[in-house]
Each structure stands twice: as C-alpha cells, then as structure tokens.
Amino acid sequence: MSIITNLSPVQYSNPLPESVDVVIIGAGIIGIATAWFLSKQGIKVAVCEKGRVAGEQSSRNWGWIRQQGRDEAELPIMMESLSIWDNLASEIGADIGFRREGSLYLCETEAELATYDKFLSFASHYGLKSEVIRTDKLYSLLTNTSRRWHSALHTASDARAEPEIAVTALAAACAREGVRIMENCAVRTIASSNARVDGVHTEHGFIKCSEVLCCGGAWTAALLHQCGIELPQLSVKASVATTGPAPMIFNGEASGSGLAFRRREDGGYTIAMTDYLEVFPSAESLLQFRRFIPLLRIAHKKLRLRIGDNLTARFFGSRSWREDDITPFELDRVTNPIPGQKTLARLRSRLDDRLPILRDVAITQSWSGMIDATPDAVPVMDKVTKIGGLFIATGFSGHGFGIGPAAGRIMADMIQNNNTGHDLSRFRFSRFSDGSKIIPGPSI
C-alpha cells in the first residue's frame, strides 16, 4: 500500500457547484458512505475535502470490520453495516479485500477473559454468535504460534477489508453516481441565517445548500467552533505498520497481550500496539477536559500526553477566522504524523515476542493517524438544534471504518428526515451539555 499524503495526486478537481441539496464536509468513510446513500436516492450532493479522499484516518486504520467488543448501542448498527459490506464490492464493481474470516480477542488469564462478560451478556440478544473458545479450538484457528494464550473471544462472522482501497473505490462509485467530490477544497465556515443553514464558504467560493453534514474527523471541533458549537473531542495518535509476506497465523484479525494483527490481501500483516496511544490536546479538548475524566480513568495506562511538537502547534493554532482567511485546514491538507523510532522499536519487540515466527519478517511500512475520540468513546450522529440543517457524524473513536457504511446510511436518512431504523439516543450531541452522566464504552 501507499499512504495518502498531500503529495498524492489530486483525483477530484471538479469545479465548484453553485448550489446542491447537501454539502458533506470530509471525504472519509462516513462522508463518502453518506454521499453514496444520498446519491442513490437522487439527492444532489457535494463532498468538500480539505486534502485527499480517505487521506487521514479512513485509510490509516487497522482494516477491522468487527461486531465483537462493540458498545451495546453500536452493535445493531454494526451488524447492519456488515450486511452492507457483504454486497458493497459487487455494487461498486471493485475488489476491496472484504473477507469474513472472523476475529479473536486473545486472553492469557481467566481474569482477562472475564472482561468480555458484559459484551457476551447482550451479544446473543441481537442474534450475534460470539463465543469463548479454549486451547483445542483456539489453536485449530491460530497456527504457527506458541501456546501463549489459553482462551479467546471469537466471532466467526466478523470481517476485514483494505481501508485505502475500500474508501477510494466507494468514492469513485459516488462520482459515477453524480456526486461532486472536490479535493483541496477546504470549507472555511458554515453560513446560516435565521438559525438555518444556507451554504458553506469554501476556499474557492460559496456553495448554496439547505443541509450540511460535518464529518471531518479530528478537525470537526475546530470547524464547529466557528459556528459557536463546542464539541468535546480528543486527538489521539495511533501508529500502525505492515509486514512483508509471512506464514499463516490467522486469516482474520486478532489482538492479545498488547498486539493487534490482521491478515492482509498481500500475504503480510497489519500490526499495531493496543496499549500505546499518544494524546495531542487541542484548545477545545483542554477546555472540555473534565468531560474526558471518566474515559481517562479507564484508558490512562495506554495514553501518553504529547505537548510541544508540530502536531500540537497545528491544533493550538488560530481558533477563529473569517470566510476569506487562510485556515488551518488549508495549511495542513493531509495530517501525516510519523511514528517515532522508539514506537517502532517497541512494536518490533512486541511482534517478535508475541509471534516468534515473524521474527525474520521485515516491517515494510509504518505510519500514524489521528483518531478523534469523544468523552465516552462512541460517536456523535445527530442534527444540531441550534442551527437547522446542520448535522454531525464524528467521534468514532478509532472504530469508524467497520461501522462506516451503516453510519452513512443512517445519516442519509436523518438528513432526509426519514426513520433511521435505530435508537440513536446514545449518540445524541446534547449528551455533553444536558447533564447526562458520561458512561464510556469500550475504550479507544
């Protein structure tokens, strides 16, 4: 694979439309999936992307499409998403590497296994078959390893895909359906009058519209701030690497003992550490810090605070601007953080220790991405009551790729005021301001 950066060729340089029905801000998996479903219903859509389609976390994630371990409110949406993934390749006419090969959460102790009791207590209520497996069955699935793990949570129906292929292929299908996608086209401000959206100011001019969906990932809070809307959002750097072709261990995705690995279509593995994330505070997240305390209590052992480098400077930049100002979005087309050498050395050591058969397999590529996390580690999917016609879909907290197609379907129906088919109360925007207790889901 080749990581998308601001040096990658622009694929979409459409002229700015004078008006559309819906403007979508952000061309990641959520924005592109929403555009796909709106276009199939005859809605005129423009997608404005400050950099490149899938340039940030939507192409930098692990490629897991899992139901296992989800927050209970997410699970039925994720199950719908998996059914969409089942047919997506044939619908868009592209091999996106989608395979149902299952997922494993590997456990060394009974106490570790017990942490999944809550998930198992409700999974079957939704018709999901997740099960605890032990040594004999576990090692019939997991080959070429020492018997480090004594049990696992297993969901055979889970899947995987290649993120950098899947999202760009779906974008191409959207373009064929008439969606106007514009790269290098940052939205600077959202325009409204009489508490109602009437368009967006982009770096290239104004687009008139009646609905706007903001799904800009780690950049969402900064844009909403211009509308007087404060979204609590934490930016978390996660580092990932790939290996060269390697012996078969497991054909799906697995994590255990601080290491996550996923079989790739090229015969290698996508690998990452599950207990090492770097946190980069923004001005907004510092102001909203108290809302993150419940999550930080749960996840603090895996988080490392980072202040004083260029990433922090980007997020601490000017917080307010006008539609004719150059904005941080244009100054940072594609955020491309680089894993530190200590991080890579730690990952290499973790890989060699957990999966000794891969000791002689080279790490061929590494990269980092910025996860946008909410205080409860579940997304916002809602309309904004303060400004009619404004919608938010963000904060997927590191697990947006798999759920993305169903989230896009939901947002397409929400924008059209249709029944979304799910209870979305857990994902309402007002939970951060109405006095609700913040209850973290499975942590980032």
Side-chain angles (χ1 to χ4, degrees):
M1 68 175 289
S2 179
I3 291 296
I4 300 168
T5 71
N6 59 354
L7 299 178
S8 301
V10 170
Q11 301 296 318
Y12 301 97
S13 54
N14 291 303
L16 208 70
E18 181 178 329
S19 67
V20 293
D21 300 317
V22 181
V23 168
I24 295 173
I25 304 171
I29 181 65
I30 310 299
I32 292 297
T34 304
W36 171 249
F37 284 101
L38 286 172
S39 68
K40 294 205 297 184
Q41 297 172 63
I43 306 299
K44 192 176 179 182
V45 182
V47 179
C48 295
E49 168 54 51
K50 72 181 178 68
R52 304 290 186 275
V53 170
E56 298 195 9
Q57 192 58 20
S58 286
S59 66
R60 295 164 184 259
N61 62 82
W62 298 354
W64 290 37
I65 302 175
R66 63 171 175 86
Q67 303 154 104
Q68 181 166 287
R70 289 275 175 176
D71 185 272
E72 184 173 2
E74 282 188 337
L75 183 55
I77 301 173
M78 184 59 231
M79 294 176 76
E80 178 195 345
S81 197
L82 195 49
S83 70
I84 296 172
W85 278 107
D86 274 329
N87 301 308
L88 194 58
S90 60
E91 283 192 50
I92 66 178
D95 183 356
I96 56 177
F98 177 79
R99 308 285 184 268
R100 282 196 187 237
E101 300 287 358
S103 62
L104 291 170
Y105 284 176
L106 303 164
C107 302
E108 295 188 26
T109 66
E110 285 292 334
E112 188 178 0
L113 184 62
T115 63
Y116 302 118
D117 286 350
K118 181 179 179 181
F119 174 75
L120 286 168
S121 73
F122 62 73
S124 60
H125 298 165
Y126 297 93
L128 179 65
K129 186 179 179 182
S130 293
E131 61 178 348
V132 171
I133 60 173
R134 298 185 184 272
T135 50
D136 289 346
K137 186 169 183 179
L138 172 58
Y139 289 102
S140 70
L141 298 172
L142 195 67
T143 60
N144 288 316
T145 66
S146 61
R147 296 206 163 199
R148 180 188 189 103
W149 298 288
H150 93 314
S151 59
L153 180 63
H154 179 226
T155 304
S157 57
D158 279 352
R160 59 179 172 85
E162 301 299 337
E164 71 282 3
I165 299 173
V167 183
T168 53
L170 183 57
C174 285
R176 293 193 296 270
E177 290 290 323
V179 174
R180 190 76 67 89
I181 301 173
M182 293 160 290
E183 296 177 313
N184 275 8
C185 183
V187 170
R188 291 172 168 173
T189 60
I190 299 167
S192 63
S193 56
N194 299 316
R196 176 78 202 181
V197 162
D198 52 22
V200 297
H201 292 280
T202 79
E203 62 182 290
H204 301 304
F206 185 75
I207 306 175
K208 183 179 179 181
C209 64
S210 55
E211 274 82 29
V212 170
L213 171 63
C214 188
C215 47
W219 296 92
T220 301
L223 180 60
L224 291 176
H225 179 74
Q226 312 312 308
C227 306
I229 297 167
E230 302 306 325
L231 171 72
Q233 186 179 53
L234 200 62
S235 295
V236 180
K237 177 183 173 184
S239 296
V240 190
T242 59
T243 74
M248 172 61 70
I249 299 171
F250 179 57
N251 210 28
E253 59 221 19
S255 68
S257 306
L259 178 73
F261 54 98
R262 191 244 324 158
R263 188 72 168 176
R264 298 173 56 83
E265 288 297 285
D266 60 13
Y269 289 91
T270 293
I271 57 174
M273 290 182 290
T274 61
D275 59 357
Y276 188 85
L277 297 166
E278 299 172 271
V279 178
F280 292 84
S282 67
E284 282 80 13
S285 65
L286 289 176
L287 291 171
Q288 301 273 355
F289 179 78
R290 64 181 179 84
R291 302 188 187 280
F292 288 94
I293 291 175
L295 180 62
L296 294 174
R297 284 176 179 156
I298 295 172
H300 71 279
K301 290 183 179 180
K302 66 174 73 173
L303 301 177
R304 304 292 184 273
L305 184 65
R306 297 289 183 257
I307 294 177
D309 65 4
N310 64 332
L311 274 177
T312 304
R314 292 171 188 172
F315 288 108
F316 267 120
S318 174
R319 309 317 301 165
S320 297
W321 50 80
R322 300 172 302 178
E323 60 267 16
D324 56 351
D325 290 334
I326 302 296
T327 71
F329 312 129
E330 293 136 275
L331 298 175
D332 191 8
R333 293 289 182 188
V334 179
T335 302
N336 186 36
I338 305 300
Q341 289 303 309
K342 289 183 180 179
T343 299
L344 293 177
R346 187 179 288 112
L347 179 56
R348 176 81 255 184
S349 175
R350 190 77 53 85
L351 179 67
D352 294 349
D353 179 65
R354 275 53 163 181
L355 302 173
I357 198 170
L358 300 187
R359 281 179 180 163
D360 295 326
V361 176
I363 290 179
T364 56
Q365 191 173 16
S366 62
W367 66 90
S368 297
M370 300 305 291
I371 295 170
D372 58 315
T374 62
D376 49 15
V378 295
V380 173
M381 292 187 284
D382 204 359
K383 59 184 176 182
V384 177
T385 56
K386 183 178 178 180
I387 302 176
L390 178 58
F391 299 82
I392 303 173
T394 197
F396 285 81
S397 303
H399 45 263
F401 177 67
I403 206 171
R409 197 281 303 162
I410 286 169
M411 296 312 301
D413 277 328
M414 187 185 296
I415 288 167
Q416 296 176 86
N417 202 30
N418 296 334
N419 185 351
T420 64
H422 293 283
D423 178 4
L424 301 178
S425 56
R426 173 81 158 128
F427 313 114
R428 70 193 188 283
F429 179 47
S430 64
R431 71 187 189 267
F432 302 125
S433 59
D434 63 8
S436 297
K437 183 179 180 181
I438 300 298
I439 303 174
S443 64
I444 51 178

